Amino acid sequence: MGLSLWLVPNPTHLQLIQRVLPKQPETRSVSAASYPEITPHITLASSGKATQDTILRSLPSILRPIPVKFQKLEVGDHYFRSVFISVKKTTELVALHEHIMAALDRDGASPSAPAFPHMSISYIADEDGHAERNKAADELRGVTVIEDSETDDADTVGLRCGDSEEGGVRLSGFEGTEVWIVRCEGPVQHWQVLEKIAVTPGVA
């Protein structure tokens, strides 16, 4: 896959989301490649041709915090989009994405960002099939994901990220406060974070 540029939640939101991501099920057998530990993120761009310096050059001179709003829980037909939450195309998020894609394109990096914008919840191997991906989504709906009917906004979903003793934390999105450059080669557990770039403090 090469290098990817990720928009990552602020530390508090990152921790809350990570605690509810599905793990390998204990009640059924699945591929060892299914349900790896992942970092919640939105892929802004990926390239098999870009270098780390090329990626850095593609970023705006000032990075601002990016508000992210969850839209819908979906089941996909690709390993990296097995179960994911589609994200609303806000002005800020689209502008950042388009800036990066245009800069990488000018550098001949042939960037891509399939199904932008989305946040993957689970990677599930093809050999486990669509049925396993649907099971994972159904389990999320039963425990973690708050569907449209339970919210005031018919165009959003939320995540239950805390129990009642913790105040019943619910997230309908996150604040993106870091951009990571990640080398995505080989199994997910071998991916390497090369650099973390923080947004400019105090700029909204």
Side-chain angles (χ1 to χ4, degrees), residues 76-90:
D77 57 3
H78 189 283
Y79 178 63
F80 296 122
R81 295 180 297 281
S82 296
V83 182
F84 64 93
I85 291 179
S86 56
V87 169
K88 292 184 179 181
K89 291 185 176 181
T90 61

Side-chain angles (χ1 to χ4, degrees), residues 50-107:
T51 64
Q52 189 170 344
D53 285 343
T54 304
I55 295 282
L56 283 170
R57 285 199 303 270
S58 75
L59 294 172
S61 56
I62 296 177
L63 277 172
R64 296 171 169 81
I66 302 291
V68 170
K69 297 296 182 184
F70 300 148
Q71 188 162 20
K72 184 179 179 183
L73 181 69
E74 302 194 44
V75 176
D77 57 3
H78 189 283
Y79 178 63
F80 296 122
R81 295 180 297 281
S82 296
V83 182
F84 64 93
I85 291 179
S86 56
V87 169
K88 292 184 179 181
K89 291 185 176 181
T90 61
T91 301
E92 301 95 330
L93 184 58
V94 170
L96 177 61
H97 169 65
E98 289 181 346
H99 180 100
I100 291 165
M101 292 289 282
L104 289 174
D105 204 39
R106 286 194 298 271
D107 272 338

